[in-house]
PDB file of all heavy atoms in Angstrom:
ATOM      1  N   SER N   7     -12.543  -4.730  13.992  1.00 92.00           N
ATOM      2  CA  SER N   7     -11.439  -4.270  13.145  1.00 92.00           C
ATOM      3  C   SER N   7     -11.471  -2.745  13.068  1.00 92.00           C
ATOM      4  O   SER N   7     -12.505  -2.122  13.313  1.00 92.00           O
ATOM      5  CB  SER N   7     -11.524  -4.885  11.751  1.00 92.00           C
ATOM      6  OG  SER N   7     -12.704  -4.489  11.111  1.00 92.00           O
ATOM      7  N   PHE N   8     -10.315  -2.172  12.738  1.00 88.00           N
ATOM      8  CA  PHE N   8     -10.221  -0.721  12.600  1.00 88.00           C
ATOM      9  C   PHE N   8      -9.081  -0.373  11.663  1.00 88.00           C
ATOM     10  O   PHE N   8      -8.218  -1.197  11.366  1.00 88.00           O
ATOM     11  CB  PHE N   8     -10.043  -0.037  13.954  1.00 88.00           C
ATOM     12  CG  PHE N   8      -8.703  -0.250  14.588  1.00 88.00           C
ATOM     13  CD1 PHE N   8      -7.699   0.696  14.459  1.00 88.00           C
ATOM     14  CD2 PHE N   8      -8.438  -1.396  15.317  1.00 88.00           C
ATOM     15  CE1 PHE N   8      -6.452   0.492  15.046  1.00 88.00           C
ATOM     16  CE2 PHE N   8      -7.203  -1.600  15.910  1.00 88.00           C
ATOM     17  CZ  PHE N   8      -6.213  -0.655  15.776  1.00 88.00           C
ATOM     18  N   GLU N   9      -9.104   0.872  11.185  1.00 93.00           N
ATOM     19  CA  GLU N   9      -8.041   1.390  10.321  1.00 93.00           C
ATOM     20  C   GLU N   9      -7.632   2.769  10.815  1.00 93.00           C
ATOM     21  O   GLU N   9      -8.472   3.548  11.266  1.00 93.00           O
ATOM     22  CB  GLU N   9      -8.514   1.535   8.876  1.00 93.00           C
ATOM     23  CG  GLU N   9      -8.648   0.266   8.134  1.00 93.00           C
ATOM     24  CD  GLU N   9      -8.941   0.504   6.650  1.00 93.00           C
ATOM     25  OE1 GLU N   9      -9.180   1.651   6.239  1.00 93.00           O
ATOM     26  OE2 GLU N   9      -8.924  -0.484   5.920  1.00 93.00           O
ATOM     27  N   LEU N  10      -6.355   3.040  10.716  1.00 92.00           N
ATOM     28  CA  LEU N  10      -5.809   4.366  10.998  1.00 92.00           C
ATOM     29  C   LEU N  10      -5.063   4.811   9.748  1.00 92.00           C
ATOM     30  O   LEU N  10      -4.134   4.140   9.316  1.00 92.00           O
ATOM     31  CB  LEU N  10      -4.835   4.324  12.173  1.00 92.00           C
ATOM     32  CG  LEU N  10      -5.391   3.944  13.529  1.00 92.00           C
ATOM     33  CD1 LEU N  10      -4.252   3.778  14.532  1.00 92.00           C
ATOM     34  CD2 LEU N  10      -6.356   5.004  14.012  1.00 92.00           C
ATOM     35  N   LEU N  11      -5.458   5.927   9.177  1.00 95.00           N
ATOM     36  CA  LEU N  11      -4.812   6.444   7.973  1.00 95.00           C
ATOM     37  C   LEU N  11      -4.311   7.850   8.255  1.00 95.00           C
ATOM     38  O   LEU N  11      -5.071   8.711   8.708  1.00 95.00           O
ATOM     39  CB  LEU N  11      -5.791   6.459   6.800  1.00 95.00           C
ATOM     40  CG  LEU N  11      -5.272   7.041   5.485  1.00 95.00           C
ATOM     41  CD1 LEU N  11      -4.102   6.210   4.951  1.00 95.00           C
ATOM     42  CD2 LEU N  11      -6.383   7.117   4.467  1.00 95.00           C
ATOM     43  N   ARG N  12      -3.042   8.069   8.025  1.00 95.00           N
ATOM     44  CA  ARG N  12      -2.417   9.379   8.176  1.00 95.00           C
ATOM     45  C   ARG N  12      -1.471   9.571   6.999  1.00 95.00           C
ATOM     46  O   ARG N  12      -1.231   8.665   6.213  1.00 95.00           O
ATOM     47  CB  ARG N  12      -1.616   9.477   9.483  1.00 95.00           C
ATOM     48  CG  ARG N  12      -2.396   9.210  10.745  1.00 95.00           C
ATOM     49  CD  ARG N  12      -3.328  10.376  11.081  1.00 95.00           C
ATOM     50  NE  ARG N  12      -3.917  10.241  12.381  1.00 95.00           N
ATOM     51  CZ  ARG N  12      -5.044   9.590  12.647  1.00 95.00           C
ATOM     52  NH1 ARG N  12      -5.697   8.992  11.684  1.00 95.00           N
ATOM     53  NH2 ARG N  12      -5.517   9.538  13.876  1.00 95.00           N
ATOM     54  N   ASP N  13      -0.864  10.743   6.914  1.00 95.00           N
ATOM     55  CA  ASP N  13       0.179  10.962   5.921  1.00 95.00           C
ATOM     56  C   ASP N  13       1.213  11.908   6.495  1.00 95.00           C
ATOM     57  O   ASP N  13       1.004  12.539   7.521  1.00 95.00           O
ATOM     58  CB  ASP N  13      -0.392  11.451   4.595  1.00 95.00           C
ATOM     59  CG  ASP N  13      -0.964  12.850   4.663  1.00 95.00           C
ATOM     60  OD1 ASP N  13      -1.217  13.354   5.775  1.00 95.00           O
ATOM     61  OD2 ASP N  13      -1.174  13.448   3.602  1.00 95.00           O
ATOM     62  N   THR N  14       2.354  11.960   5.821  1.00 96.00           N
ATOM     63  CA  THR N  14       3.458  12.819   6.250  1.00 96.00           C
ATOM     64  C   THR N  14       4.171  13.345   5.021  1.00 96.00           C
ATOM     65  O   THR N  14       4.099  12.750   3.944  1.00 96.00           O
ATOM     66  CB  THR N  14       4.438  12.052   7.170  1.00 96.00           C
ATOM     67  OG1 THR N  14       5.482  12.937   7.583  1.00 96.00           O
ATOM     68  CG2 THR N  14       5.053  10.856   6.480  1.00 96.00           C
ATOM     69  N   ASP N  15       4.878  14.457   5.216  1.00 95.00           N
ATOM     70  CA  ASP N  15       5.675  15.010   4.122  1.00 95.00           C
ATOM     71  C   ASP N  15       7.151  14.621   4.257  1.00 95.00           C
ATOM     72  O   ASP N  15       7.992  15.121   3.524  1.00 95.00           O
ATOM     73  CB  ASP N  15       5.519  16.522   4.026  1.00 95.00           C
ATOM     74  CG  ASP N  15       5.943  17.234   5.297  1.00 95.00           C
ATOM     75  OD1 ASP N  15       6.292  16.564   6.291  1.00 95.00           O
ATOM     76  OD2 ASP N  15       5.920  18.475   5.299  1.00 95.00           O
ATOM     77  N   ALA N  16       7.451  13.729   5.182  1.00 94.00           N
ATOM     78  CA  ALA N  16       8.832  13.251   5.350  1.00 94.00           C
ATOM     79  C   ALA N  16       9.260  12.495   4.094  1.00 94.00           C
ATOM     80  O   ALA N  16       8.423  11.901   3.410  1.00 94.00           O
ATOM     81  CB  ALA N  16       8.920  12.338   6.568  1.00 94.00           C
ATOM     82  N   PRO N  17      10.540  12.506   3.770  1.00 94.00           N
ATOM     83  CA  PRO N  17      11.017  11.774   2.592  1.00 94.00           C
ATOM     84  C   PRO N  17      10.718  10.271   2.715  1.00 94.00           C
ATOM     85  O   PRO N  17      10.908   9.677   3.774  1.00 94.00           O
ATOM     86  CB  PRO N  17      12.525  12.011   2.598  1.00 94.00           C
ATOM     87  CG  PRO N  17      12.750  13.175   3.499  1.00 94.00           C
ATOM     88  CD  PRO N  17      11.616  13.203   4.468  1.00 94.00           C
TER      89      PRO N  17
END
Side-chain angles (χ1 to χ4, degrees):
S7 62
F8 71 97
E9 286 188 352
L10 296 173
L11 177 63
R12 303 287 189 272
D13 69 343
T14 181
D15 59 356

